[in-house]
Amino acid sequence: MIASSELILNPDGSVYHLNLLPEHIAHDIIFVGDQNRVEKITQHFDRIEFSQQKREFKTQTGYFKGKRMTVMSTGIGPDNIDIVMNELDALVNIDLATRTVKDELTSLNIIRIGTSGSLQTDIPVDSFVMSQYGLGLDNMLRSYLIDDISEKNIEDAFIQQTHWDLRKGRPYVIKASETLEKRIESDCILKGFTGTAGGFYGPQGRVLRLPIQDPELNSKMDSFEFEGIKMTNLEMETGAIYGLGKLLGHECLSLNAIIANRANGTFSTDPYKAVDALIAYTLDKLAQS
């Protein structure tokens, strides 16, 4: 039995942060960072059967072309992903009444839709990137036992090529769900290697008033290469989603609309159009299977 201090429930029996009960979520779940982006997706639904919001975690469940789906905002960063992934898993794999793990476990399909900037000149703005790997530059996932799911050869190459300071923790690399990759892929989407930073400013090489530990890190990441794998983009959630998804037995995939290209200094003339196109693309792919 899981203690009440470990699995915290609200008075109505819902999980603490998400404020959800098991019946409130579908098997196919779309993550977005911004709570205002939830309705940009669900406006396409045939109907919405459930809406809930607590803090930055907004959830809507409904039907698109007859397919039941959930859209959820996670907020920003790996720490929020730790909350969302563990509480979603609790909804389907823990009996909340008895606080015991179920004998038969459920695997959810989780797809993140986000925006990002590309790191390579050959990835243009307004394109889509599917993350085949997530590179975690944060330490959150190291609180768990990840040796059996991480790609150590890629991690070692990244540490060596970037002269990574291990005082910041060992970066981790986790592969995406091959099942979802096949379900979502097409000729119009690029496959990439996505970095996940633990912050927006210093961890991504931005300097305002504070000096950073490695001013050259961004250029080192741009030039990283391992057996044909190059870093394509940088954001704040993918690695954490992939790691916790793999540990908990869920299928996870991250998709990004590229709205900026840092390598050549360009920015999309209509970033909202790019995001809307990725939303439509993802919904259609999910509805087909």
Side-chain angles (χ1 to χ4, degrees):
M1 182 176 178
I2 302 171
S4 58
S5 60
E6 310 306 294
L7 175 60
I8 303 171
L9 302 179
N10 295 309
D12 64 355
S14 62
V15 290
Y16 182 65
H17 295 91
L18 301 184
N19 208 22
L20 300 175
L21 293 167
E23 60 266 27
H24 294 155
I25 63 169
H27 187 261
D28 288 343
I29 299 176
I30 296 174
F31 281 175
V32 293
D34 184 357
Q35 57 191 281
N36 293 323
R37 194 170 287 164
V38 171
E39 291 182 354
K40 285 182 67 68
I41 297 177
T42 60
Q43 67 179 344
H44 299 284
F45 280 17
D46 308 324
R47 62 185 176 91
I48 296 171
E49 66 177 25
F50 173 80
S51 294
Q52 180 65 280
Q53 181 166 3
K54 184 178 180 182
R55 305 185 188 186
E56 64 267 50
F57 307 114
K58 182 172 184 176
T59 303
Q60 291 192 330
T61 296
Y63 290 83
F64 176 77
K65 295 184 178 180
K67 181 90 170 183
R68 191 169 186 253
M69 302 180 194
T70 292
V71 184
M72 176 181 295
S73 61
T74 64
I76 300 173
D79 51 344
N80 272 20
I81 296 302
D82 183 57
I83 291 171
V84 172
M85 292 294 293
N86 276 289
E87 292 194 3
L88 274 179
D89 181 75
L91 288 173
V92 295
N93 289 322
I94 296 175
D95 186 316
L96 301 183
T98 63
R99 295 178 174 274
T100 57
V101 177
K102 295 179 180 179
D103 293 331
E104 293 187 15
L105 300 180
T106 296
S107 177
L108 298 170
N109 294 320
I110 298 170
I111 295 180
R112 175 188 178 275
I113 296 179
T115 57
S116 187
S118 66
L119 305 180
Q120 306 295 335
T121 56
D122 60 349
I123 302 176
V125 296
D126 300 327
S127 61
F128 304 154
V129 169
M130 172 191 294
S131 306
Q132 282 190 302
Y133 295 92
L135 165 69
L137 304 175
D138 62 289
N139 289 317
M140 185 278 291
L141 202 65
R142 290 289 175 190
S143 297
Y144 301 94
L145 303 174
I146 66 171
D147 286 350
D148 290 341
I149 64 165
S150 62
E151 305 287 335
K152 297 181 183 62
N153 290 340
I154 306 177
E155 294 170 4
D156 289 340
F158 180 83
I159 291 168
Q160 181 181 17
Q161 291 183 34
T162 63
H163 304 289
W164 182 264
D165 188 339
L166 289 175
R167 289 177 298 178
K168 295 190 292 186
R170 178 183 171 89
Y172 59 88
V173 177
I174 312 292
K175 200 173 190 304
S177 162
E178 293 182 6
T179 300
L180 283 183
E181 184 180 330
K182 292 176 182 177
R183 184 173 169 183
I184 301 297
E185 67 183 357
S186 73
D187 292 339
C188 72
I189 192 162
L190 304 169
K191 295 183 180 181
F193 181 64
T194 298
T196 295
F200 184 76
Y201 289 96
Q204 294 190 39
R206 293 183 173 93
V207 177
L208 300 184
R209 287 204 314 118
L210 297 176
I212 58 177
Q213 181 269 331
D214 185 356
E216 305 302 321
L217 180 59
N218 280 13
S219 62
K220 293 174 184 176
M221 291 193 296
D222 292 352
S223 59
F224 170 76
E225 191 276 334
F226 176 79
E227 295 183 356
I229 297 171
K230 294 183 178 182
M231 286 194 66
T232 51
N233 59 310
L234 187 63
E235 46 81 89
M236 294 181 64
E237 288 83 35
T238 296
I241 293 170
Y242 283 8
L244 288 172
K246 194 84 72 173
L247 290 172
L248 292 166
H250 303 298
E251 305 291 336
C252 298
L253 188 68
S254 179
L255 306 175
N256 277 281
I258 300 300
I259 61 172
N261 185 300
R262 193 181 69 189
N264 58 31
T266 57
F267 191 84
S268 174
T269 58
D270 192 348
Y272 299 107
K273 181 178 179 181
V275 173
D276 289 343
L278 181 57
I279 288 170
Y281 174 91
T282 306
L283 287 173
D284 283 338
K285 284 289 186 179
L286 286 174
Q288 291 171 16
S289 53

